[in-house]
Amino acid sequence: MTIRIAPSILSADFANLERELGRIATADMVHVDVMDNHFVPNLTIGLPVVTRLQQVSPVPLDVHLMVSDADTNAPKYAETGAASVTFHIEAATDPVATAAAIRSNGARAAVAVKPGTDIAPVLDHLDAYDMVLLMTVEPGFGGQAFMPQVMPKLAAARAAVAASGLDVWLEVDGGIALDTVEEAVSNGADTLVAGSAVYGGDPAERIAGLRAAASRVA
């Protein structure tokens, strides 16, 4: 199983984002959290900043939209050239159509589920998505503790992907660090979002450490 590390710039220095992107050049992607202070109780960045990040980033953008009205908003972010755009199923009226619109705009289409959200509707339409993001914290803020109770849902998603034969990535976001990465990967995750676990020290060393820990159980 191929492991991908996607550092979250939610833990980066927002006054120096281009520099902060350069510090994670050894990562597979950069996780860009877009929050609207409506779907989640926090406000980060929007479309103009994501557009500019796409122009300067040394690694592909993995845009995670924690915003309302995903049906309207998600396709717009795909137009920036981002490699992947994730929207929350809780914020979409027609998630399959929204995913199709993201794909038509040139990005991989991904859907996210909160810890308490039933994943069955996603698994029923796996062919509509290129990635499924399982939140291992409540979305909205960085630095929260990993929620192991999400692991059975992750394992069920891995089993469904394996049975389907589709190339659907499984991403986890929230509390990923050296002491949780093996549990996430052993339950089926192949794409790992880490914020403070990367930016809390030397990013290149932290990325290498996470990759090594994940590879032990991949």
Side-chain angles (χ1 to χ4, degrees):
M1 182 167 65
T2 300
I3 297 296
R4 287 166 288 272
I5 307 295
S8 170
I9 59 169
L10 194 61
S11 297
D13 179 1
F14 269 43
N16 296 281
L17 285 179
E18 183 174 3
R19 184 197 67 189
E20 297 289 75
L21 289 170
R23 297 175 70 205
I24 59 166
T26 57
D28 299 284
M29 302 183 292
V30 56
H31 194 76
V32 180
D33 289 303
V34 176
M35 306 182 191
D36 66 356
N37 202 33
H38 186 265
F39 179 71
V40 292
N42 197 4
L43 184 67
T44 54
I45 60 177
L47 192 58
V49 176
V50 173
T51 299
R52 185 67 180 127
L53 293 178
Q54 170 61 28
Q55 294 167 351
V56 301
S57 178
V59 293
L61 264 59
D62 173 32
V63 178
H64 178 193
L65 301 178
M66 287 168 272
V67 302
S68 300
D69 192 8
D71 307 87
T72 299
N73 289 306
K76 297 176 183 178
Y77 284 84
E79 292 176 352
T80 67
S84 178
V85 174
T86 302
F87 64 93
H88 271 263
I89 195 167
E90 301 91 352
T93 300
D94 191 340
V96 171
T98 298
I102 292 171
R103 284 176 170 173
S104 69
N105 284 339
R108 291 174 57 87
V111 63
V113 293
K114 294 181 181 181
T117 298
D118 183 8
I119 201 170
V122 172
L123 302 184
D124 288 342
H125 298 280
L126 267 181
D127 59 336
Y129 310 111
D130 300 299
M131 184 170 74
V132 178
L133 168 56
L134 291 94
M135 295 298 300
T136 42
V137 297
E138 290 296 336
F141 294 92
Q144 299 181 63
F146 178 82
M147 298 173 66
Q149 57 267 40
V150 177
M151 293 301 95
K153 187 160 59 174
L154 173 58
R158 172 52 63 194
V161 169
S164 73
L166 297 168
D167 181 21
V168 178
W169 300 353
L170 294 180
E171 185 172 56
V172 289
D173 179 6
I176 296 299
L178 285 177
D179 61 343
T180 58
V181 64
E182 292 188 15
E183 183 175 4
V185 173
S186 64
N187 278 283
D190 53 35
T191 307
L192 306 164
V193 177
S196 55
V198 170
Y199 278 109
D202 178 85
E205 292 180 2
R206 295 293 184 92
I207 290 166
L210 289 170
R211 202 186 303 280
S215 297
R216 286 196 288 269
V217 293

